[in-house]
Amino acid sequence: MSNAILISILPEFVAGILSGTKVFEYRKIMPVQAISHLVLYCTAPTKRVVAVAEVAGRLVDTPSKIWTDTSYGSGITYKFYTDYFSGHKHAGAFALGSVYELSVPLKISELTSCKVAPQSFCYLNSRDTNFILKALTSASKRKSPGNV
């Protein structure tokens, strides 16, 4: 987990990622740095770090082009997508590789990089990535989606 970010995701979208029906994670703001892993913080009512997803690719383009290229694995409706990117000229998407669910979800207070759920994302320091890696030792892996 060389470069990881913490992102906040609604419970229904976390469920889609864990089930493999959602293989793209959309973002209005993309990190400048290359990202190897997304650490998934599930919002209320869960309020825990629940999984880690490998980043298999990164796309940035117009919202219409991103939807055309990714809708098959979006895990969301077109209406939700267009509402989310309404008024934005650019859209970002992470293509997700293998996903690892933590057997024991972590409280955000256990991290040192981010103490509150991020609005867009938060870069994780090496202490936090090592801490999460240790938590993953007993995690279950979802198979990678084909050709993402």
Side-chain angles (χ1 to χ4, degrees):
M1 249 176 26
S2 54
N3 277 348
I5 58 171
L6 178 73
I7 60 173
S8 300
I9 303 182
L10 295 170
E12 60 265 33
F13 301 139
V14 170
I17 290 169
L18 293 174
S19 72
T21 59
K22 181 172 176 43
V23 296
F24 292 100
E25 176 55 30
Y26 300 102
R27 295 282 133 174
K28 293 175 188 172
I29 299 170
M30 295 292 278
V32 174
Q33 296 178 16
I35 300 301
S36 63
H37 292 81
L38 303 178
V39 176
L40 310 182
Y41 174 83
C42 186
T43 60
T46 305
K47 296 184 178 179
R48 296 278 192 276
V49 174
V50 297
V52 175
E54 293 176 351
V55 174
R58 170 189 172 121
L59 305 162
V60 177
D61 211 318
T62 64
S64 61
K65 175 72 170 132
I66 294 292
W67 181 257
T68 298
D69 292 346
T70 65
S71 61
Y72 68 91
S74 67
I76 59 175
T77 65
Y78 179 69
K79 178 170 180 8
F80 185 92
Y81 179 86
T82 56
D83 287 349
Y84 181 70
F85 284 111
S86 178
H88 287 81
K89 293 180 181 180
H90 294 93
F94 288 105
L96 305 179
S98 295
V99 175
Y100 304 86
E101 184 174 7
L102 279 75
S103 53
V104 178
L106 305 172
K107 294 179 183 178
I108 201 165
S109 62
E110 296 177 80
L111 304 177
T112 60
S113 309
C114 315
K115 288 297 185 185
V116 296
Q119 289 297 310
S120 56
F121 63 88
C122 174
Y123 290 102
L124 294 177
N125 62 31
S126 60
R127 183 253 177 225
D128 287 342
T129 56
N130 288 332
F131 177 68
I132 293 164
L133 278 173
K134 286 180 185 173
L136 283 175
T137 56
S138 61
S140 60
K141 177 183 174 184
R142 172 183 60 81
K143 291 192 175 186
S144 302
N147 297 332
V148 176

